[in-house]
């Protein structure tokens, strides 16, 4: 692999990303293990939740509110129906607390009679029957009697605040006083649906001990476990959660599965048999969590040389009807809101409020894509006002080693913002292409921008554009999150001589099942396939924390490596002079099993005060740049995203194929966010809640994505990895919007940049070039 | 209810079900072939793609009465010959090597669409491949590695 060393010691790993026609590349993954569960997935043998058969199982469905805000007066069962043949469950059947355990205890499992319905898809009752036909027939025979209450849909009008933060540094007034130019902007982003292709699915099986076993599509077994214990009043062993093969999550299966598992369990306990709760797409879109919509207001001061001297940012997020993860999503959004730029005088404010729409939750990037879109829009608009190249403006402000962030964090290591920027500029020939597109648009419009209609036709109908964005992503949990949850991961040599990795971190496509054994094998000096990955079953594996925040490889991977090192040392100590790979089988025979539990310990020197928001908000940051090129049809304003060059610093590449896969997938989700994906909401209800109406990119919509991986290792992790899952999601959307501006001369302030919005802007309705 | 007979992956199958029952349910529930997935149930995602007389169809849209006497091929039948040798066929192998399957839920459908494209003599050009799999949504991969894998198989070996 060609490797190039930068002066700062940062490594760039670039490999042939385009298959050379005429040349088969059987060795594409040479030297790295193939996806562990790949053969099962490729032959149809892999079992996802809905593929599992439980004899005698019934099917369950959820009866939901159809109102956004109302008092639940009564639940009426049609007296003409013989209800003894089926099972109905309501809040009255909940043995424990009627809450879905999360950050705040505000969300009920089912709205009780006399309680308040807070969104139109809120679960109120449950119904199980032996067959789906009966369910369909009886669903409408359960009537909810309600008294309407006034709903709130505008997050800025809501008086219920879920979370609020402020970070300040320097003197804002002084900063603006010293600025030569002040630029203001308001940017809006809407809901985005995770749209994993496997819908939510959960099967509850009642146990002999009065407990429940859950088989489900989920990211975080121990989140579900905690929720079951609380609402069903179960002991640690009575609640058992098994993550089955999971067909995508992207954050969407972080916390909502707790709700579905509780529903399936209530029915299963009452029916005394397994109950399958398999969502259809329509229900999955209309009821489950989305990316938080946000309004972001910026006011920035710069000198005429393009040095940022003041940043005032306000972020408002729509939390939806319940708190869920909003405080942490908001916190991450806030901490990334200034972008990866040095600025002495900063005020960042953020607030998330309650509205009567379904709760919003986790989605890849977790608040950062919203605020980083706004930050990059702002930077690009400043560059335009200064008549400076957007690349040059970034060069002048981008974080370098030993710079300080607004929380007072000194970036002591692993800062690769410049590297990713320069790599992206170089690989894309950014400046050269920008000159060309500028020439083309000058020829087209005479002045470098498209004059208000009549629009060009014929040969000059298509305008080309190129756009740049830069981003950062705090690695792992925010603040003291990791210390607080104190994850444990284990490596075990069993009595019969097998090596197993035990964690609760799930495989949903990212490659956990492949890279954990790979990392352990490398430490132990054995082939990868000698190492087993234990199933994500709470009866078997320790709580190594949720599979979120790009923390799996970085945080849990670090624990797994340390555990492997300790195991190796223990075995080699008992067998002096014999290397682990020769010793372990006999050692197991002689000494029985050896299990190493590795608990998380705070990264040295990383300190954050959650109360004041001062200190090291993250142990390290990943850095990303994207350059997008687009074609815009000037008559129809249809956008084709041609290419994206994605440069991502992940600290350490553990598995190049899987790592690129994360960058490519995240990049396309961001392209969808920028151009296509729009949840239309009316009166708190999603109008386009089907796959026919909520569009995601197809292979034909997708750009050619070229990935360049950069390695600026983080010293706190034994392997140096900083995570990759979310990083690409932060940058591609603003890069696409910048490219659309380059092509058309108009800024689209609100995502997505639909043809309607672009046409409106070209006709001067909104987002006209800043005067 | 009536009996429908057809060939699935080379073996005769017979089911006694209502004629409007979806082929998808017949495959998954009646024949236990759960390799074919459901992502939307309305012909939008392609997770349920199977080959009917060699053509790609969405099994969620096809009533079983239309399958009478015809030939159905699912992901389980993709590598029958290869599977006897305990391995994958060239297309599956290429998907594995290139990292074209992540969560894997779109993979069976994607493989069937790719198989039909290759069987129809499709070549290694990017545009045609993307067109051939445009009815199969993948949320994980960005399609890059899927296209790479199909290109690798469609490229004649010298
Ligand atoms: S399930 Fe058939 S197309 Fe989606
Ligand atoms: S691999 Fe997950 S949807 Fe395609």
């Amino acid at each position: 692999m060609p490797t190039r060393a930068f002066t700062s010691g940062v490594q760039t790993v670039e490999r042939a990303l385009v298959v050379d026609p005429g040349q088969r590349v059987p060795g594409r993954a040479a030297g790295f293990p193939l996806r562990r569960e790949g053969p099962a997935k490729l032959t149809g043998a892999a079992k996802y939740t809905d593929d599992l058969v439980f004899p005698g199982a019934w099917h369950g469905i959820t009866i939901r509110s159809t109102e956004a805000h109302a008092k639940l007066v009564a639940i009426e069962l049609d007296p003409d129906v013989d209800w003894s043949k089926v099972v109905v469950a309501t809040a009255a059947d909940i043995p424990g607390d009627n809450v879905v355990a999360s950050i705040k205890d505000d969300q009920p499992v089912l709205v009780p009679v006399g309680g308040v319905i807070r969104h139109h898809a809120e679960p109120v009752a449950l119904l199980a029957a032996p067959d789906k036909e009966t369910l369909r027939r009886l669903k409408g025979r359960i009537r909810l009697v309600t008294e309407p209450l006034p709903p709130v849909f505008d997050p800025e009008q809501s008086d219920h605040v879920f979370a609020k933060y402020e970070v300040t540094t320097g003197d804002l007034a002084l900063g603006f006083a010293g600025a030569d130019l002040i630029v203001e902007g308001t940017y809006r982003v809407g809901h985005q649906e995770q749209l994993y292709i496997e819908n939510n699915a959960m099967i509850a099986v009642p146990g002999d001990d009065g407990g429940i076993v859950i088989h489900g599509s989920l990211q975080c077994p121990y989140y579900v476990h905690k929720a079951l214990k609380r609402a069903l009043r179960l002991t640690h062993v009575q609640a058992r959660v098994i993550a089955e093969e999971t067909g995508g999550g992207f954050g969407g299966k972080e916390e909502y599965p707790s709700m579905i598992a509780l529903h399936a369990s209530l029915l299963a306990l009452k029916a005394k048999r397994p109950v399958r709760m398999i969502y259809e797409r329509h229900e999955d879109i209309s009821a489950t969590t989305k990316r938080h919509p946000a309004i972001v207001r910026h006011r920035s001061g710069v000198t005429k040389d393009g040095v940022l001297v003041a940043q005032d940012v306000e972020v408002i997020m729509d939390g939806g009807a319940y708190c869920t993860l909003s405080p942490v999503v908001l916190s991450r959004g806030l901490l990334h809101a200034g972008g990866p730029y040095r600025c002495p005088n900063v005020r960042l404010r953020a607030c998330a409020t309650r509205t009567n729409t379904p709760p919003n939750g986790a989605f890849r990037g977790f608040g950062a894509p919203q605020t980083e879109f706004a930050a990059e829009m702002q930077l690009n608009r400043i560059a335009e006002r200064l008549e400076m190249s957007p690349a040059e403006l970034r060069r002048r402000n981008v974080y370098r080693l030993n710079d300080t962030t607004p929380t007072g964090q000194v970036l002591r290591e692993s800062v690769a913002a410049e590297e990713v920027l320069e790599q992206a500029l170089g690989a894309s020939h950014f400046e050269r292409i920008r000159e060309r597109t500028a020439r083309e648009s000058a020829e087209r419009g005479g002045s470098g921008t498209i004059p208000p209609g009549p629009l060009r036709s014929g040969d000059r109908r298509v305008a080309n554009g190129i756009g740049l964005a830069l981003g950062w992503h705090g690695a792992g949990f925010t603040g003291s999150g990791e210390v607080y949850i104190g994850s444990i991961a284990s490596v075990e040599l069993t009595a019969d001589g097998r090596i197993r990795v035990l964690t609760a971190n799930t495989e949903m496509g990212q490659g956990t099942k492949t890279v954990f054994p790979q990392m352990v094998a490398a430490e132990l000096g054995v082939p990868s396939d000698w190492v087993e990955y234990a199933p994500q079953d709470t009866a078997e594996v320790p709580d190594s924390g949720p599979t979120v925040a790009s923390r799996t490889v970085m945080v849990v991977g670090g624990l797994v490596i340390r555990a492997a090192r300790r195991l190796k040392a223990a075995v080699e100590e008992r067998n002096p002079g014999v290397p682990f790979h020769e010793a372990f089988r006999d050692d197991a025979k002689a000494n029985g099993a050896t299990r190493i539990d590795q608990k998380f310990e705070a990264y040295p020197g990383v300190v954050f005060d959650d109360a004041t928001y001062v200190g090291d908000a993250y142990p390290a940051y990943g850095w990303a740049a994207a350059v997008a090129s687009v074609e815009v049809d000037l008559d129809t304003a249809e956008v084709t995203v041609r290419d994206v060059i994605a440069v991502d610093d992940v600290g350490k590449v553990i598995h190049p194929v899987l790592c690129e896969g994360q960058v490519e997938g995240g990049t396309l989700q961001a392209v969808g966010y920028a151009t296509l994906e729009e949840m239309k909401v009316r009166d708190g209800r999603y109008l386009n809640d089907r796959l026919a109406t909520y569009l995601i990119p197809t292979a034909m919509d997708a750009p050619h994505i070229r990935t360049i991986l950069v390695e600026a290792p983080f010293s706190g992790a034994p392997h140096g990895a900083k995570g990759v899952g979310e990083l690409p999601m932060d940058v591609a959307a603003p890069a696409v919007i910048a490219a659309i501006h380059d092509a058309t001369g108009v800024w689209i302030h609100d995502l997505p940049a639909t043809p309607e919005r672009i046409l409106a802007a070209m006709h001067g309705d909104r987002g006209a070039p800043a005067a | 209810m009536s009996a429908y007979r057809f060939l699935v992956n080379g073996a005769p199958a017979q089911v006694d079900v209502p004629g409007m029952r979806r082929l998808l349910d017949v495959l998954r529930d009646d024949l236990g072939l759960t390799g074919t997935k459901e992502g939307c149930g309305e012909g939008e995602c392609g997770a349920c793609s199977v080959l009917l007389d060699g053509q790609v169809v969405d099994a969620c849209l096809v009533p079983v009465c239309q399958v009478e006497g015809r030939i159905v091929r699912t992901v389980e039948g993709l590598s029958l010959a290869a599977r006897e040798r305990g391995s994958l066929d060239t297309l599956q192998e290429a998907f594995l090597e290139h990292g074209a399957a992540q969560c894997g839920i779109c993979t069976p459908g994607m493989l069937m669409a790719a198989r039909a494209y290759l069987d129809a003599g499709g070549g290694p050009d990017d545009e045609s491949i993307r067109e051939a799999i445009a009815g199969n949504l993948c949320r994980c991969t960005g399609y890059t590695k899927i296209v790479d894998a199909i290109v690798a198989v469609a490229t004649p070996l010298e």
Side-chain angles (χ1 to χ4, degrees), chain A residues 178-199:
Chain A
D180 297 315
L181 173 70
I182 293 173
V183 176
E184 296 187 4
T186 299
Y187 310 98
R188 287 188 172 80
V189 293
H191 295 88
Q192 187 184 19
E193 162 61 33
Q194 294 87 355
L195 222 116
Y196 30 74
I197 302 296
E198 180 207 24
N199 289 314

Side-chain angles (χ1 to χ4, degrees), chain A residues 197, chain B residues 100-107 137-141:
Chain A
I197 302 296
Chain B
Q102 288 191 18
C103 83
I105 197 79
C106 73
T107 308
L137 296 176
C138 175
R139 191 58 154 170
C140 296
T141 63

Side-chain angles (χ1 to χ4, degrees), chain A residues 24 26 41 48 51 660 677, chain B residues 37 97 102-103 145 152:
Chain A
R24 190 75 66 84
K41 285 176 172 172
Y48 298 78
D51 301 338
E660 286 165 13
E677 296 181 36
Chain B
K37 307 301 181 190
E97 288 269 343
Q102 288 191 18
C103 83
K145 294 192 185 316

